[in-house]
Amino acid sequence: GVDVTGKTSIFEKMILHRFFKRKNKLPDIYKYMRRHGHKKLYAKQVIELNEASNDANSNIMAIAVPPGSPEVTKLETGREAIFEGVRRGFARAYDCLVEDPKERGRGEIVAKQCLPDEILEYDPMLIDAGNVSAFEYFLNEKEGYEYPPTFGKTALEANLP
């Protein structure tokens, strides 16, 4: 029931022109984007997903955050808003996919364990961590932080469903 295509704002038009046409010299991509080719493809894929998830013989399952959940806007750049959106999506996917019925409904708790608040305490752009993630580097440098007992383990190793 949500419009997945939307209308192109003047701001978006300016970005498309500057980024694809002028800066990167990609006129065909610019034309595709201006004609809403990417939005049409997305809408088509949403319809295909919904149809397939209603087919009993399909192995596809559509998952969406609960109605009324805050939406992350298209032009959102704030780390916290994006992070919370990712966390909500993770929680919903967990609740839909976990095999143990007793675990269903615990998605928010598990999401906070897997995606802890500490992720927002540093700026990944300021960390050159080499071969490890900026978050792992941050946690290793942070005094007094103890990894959760399940960190780095599979569900089987951690005795989880």
Side-chain angles (χ1 to χ4, degrees):
V2 175
D3 179 8
V4 296
T5 57
K7 294 181 180 175
T8 306
S9 69
I10 291 175
F11 186 65
E12 286 178 285
K13 290 176 187 175
M14 289 171 36
I15 291 172
L16 291 175
H17 185 268
R18 181 172 186 260
F19 185 79
F20 291 113
K21 194 169 184 183
R22 209 173 77 212
K23 188 174 184 179
N24 291 300
K25 312 283 190 249
L26 298 168
D28 293 337
I29 300 294
Y30 169 74
K31 287 179 199 168
Y32 178 78
M33 299 290 279
R34 282 290 291 135
R35 292 181 183 144
H36 301 267
H38 62 299
K39 292 180 179 185
K40 291 173 186 172
L41 177 61
Y42 180 67
K44 179 181 171 234
Q45 291 173 335
V46 167
I47 291 168
E48 289 170 357
L49 173 64
N50 287 338
E51 288 173 354
S53 63
N54 290 324
D55 180 356
N57 298 319
S58 174
N59 291 327
I60 293 177
M61 177 181 185
I63 298 174
V65 293
S69 296
E71 185 176 329
V72 179
T73 63
K74 288 189 290 185
L75 301 176
E76 179 63 65
T77 59
R79 284 183 75 212
E80 187 170 349
I82 294 168
F83 177 71
E84 290 300 327
V86 169
R87 198 186 256 171
R88 279 191 300 278
F90 177 98
R92 182 60 168 204
Y94 181 88
D95 285 338
C96 291
L97 298 172
V98 68
E99 291 182 23
D100 184 352
K102 291 180 277 183
E103 282 292 305
R104 292 192 189 120
R106 293 190 66 247
E108 286 184 40
I109 296 165
V110 175
K112 287 186 179 187
Q113 291 171 339
C114 295
L115 302 166
D117 291 332
E118 285 84 3
I119 289 175
L120 296 173
E121 291 180 11
Y122 72 99
D123 183 349
M125 301 303 289
L126 302 177
I127 296 177
D128 182 13
N131 292 343
V132 298
S133 74
F135 182 56
E136 186 176 348
Y137 178 87
F138 167 76
L139 291 179
N140 288 333
E141 296 295 312
K142 185 177 178 179
E143 289 185 34
Y145 182 80
E146 292 186 31
Y147 287 98
T150 56
F151 185 79
K153 295 180 180 177
T154 66
L156 183 62
E157 292 169 339
N159 294 321
L160 294 172

